[in-house]
Amino acid sequence: MSASALPIQSTHAAPTPQQVDEARTAFTASLLSTGTSTVQSDLQARAGDLHANAAAIDKQEQELLKETKNLGKESGKWQKLADDGARGVKETGDVQNWAEMLERDLCVLEDTMAMAEEGGATASALNGRQK
């Protein structure tokens, strides 16, 4: 037999079933420990992100409340300006209505005066004929 064809003989004895069980238990525990720490560190990182995001959301919420309050104040100012404008338009309409009524009354007065003058002229003409 050549040297490469010689069977390799182990100096170690075959493991006992108890040794196999112990090795299996140790290996499984090692895998669980490694897997658990990786999952646990991922979960801790995510929890940290959630807490950081919650703080950012709280800050944004406070800013939003502040800006909403400021917007309410601005809205009140614009509403007052709109109300003042509407009141001005109404007053202008009232003045225009008053002017139209005054013009109508003046036209009636003018027509009355013209009729009175015609009547006076007619009456004078009639009086002049009677004499």
Side-chain angles (χ1 to χ4, degrees), residues 80-94:
K80 183 181 181 312
L81 182 64
D83 291 344
D84 290 347
R87 192 175 310 109
V89 168
K90 183 178 181 287
E91 288 172 2
T92 301
D94 289 346

Side-chain angles (χ1 to χ4, degrees), residues 98-112:
W98 172 78
E100 289 172 359
M101 288 175 49
L102 187 60
E103 182 181 11
R104 193 172 36 237
D105 289 345
L106 288 173
C107 286
V108 168
L109 184 60
E110 184 181 355
D111 288 345
T112 304

Side-chain angles (χ1 to χ4, degrees), residues 8-73:
I8 300 177
Q9 293 186 2
S10 173
T11 57
H12 298 289
T16 64
Q18 182 182 357
Q19 290 174 328
V20 170
D21 284 342
E22 288 174 359
R24 183 175 288 130
T25 302
F27 180 72
T28 304
S30 173
L31 286 176
L32 288 174
S33 171
T34 302
T36 301
S37 69
T38 303
V39 170
Q40 189 174 19
S41 67
D42 286 345
L43 290 176
Q44 286 176 344
R46 288 181 184 174
D49 289 344
L50 288 173
H51 286 290
N53 290 341
I57 289 172
D58 287 341
K59 182 179 177 184
Q60 290 174 355
E61 181 183 15
Q62 293 304 315
E63 184 67 24
L64 181 62
L65 289 173
K66 179 180 144 192
E67 291 301 322
T68 301
K69 188 175 181 180
N70 290 340
L71 182 61
K73 289 178 183 177

Side-chain angles (χ1 to χ4, degrees), residues 115-129:
M115 287 172 33
E117 287 176 1
E118 283 179 15
T122 307
S124 295
L126 287 174
N127 282 338
R129 287 185 189 166

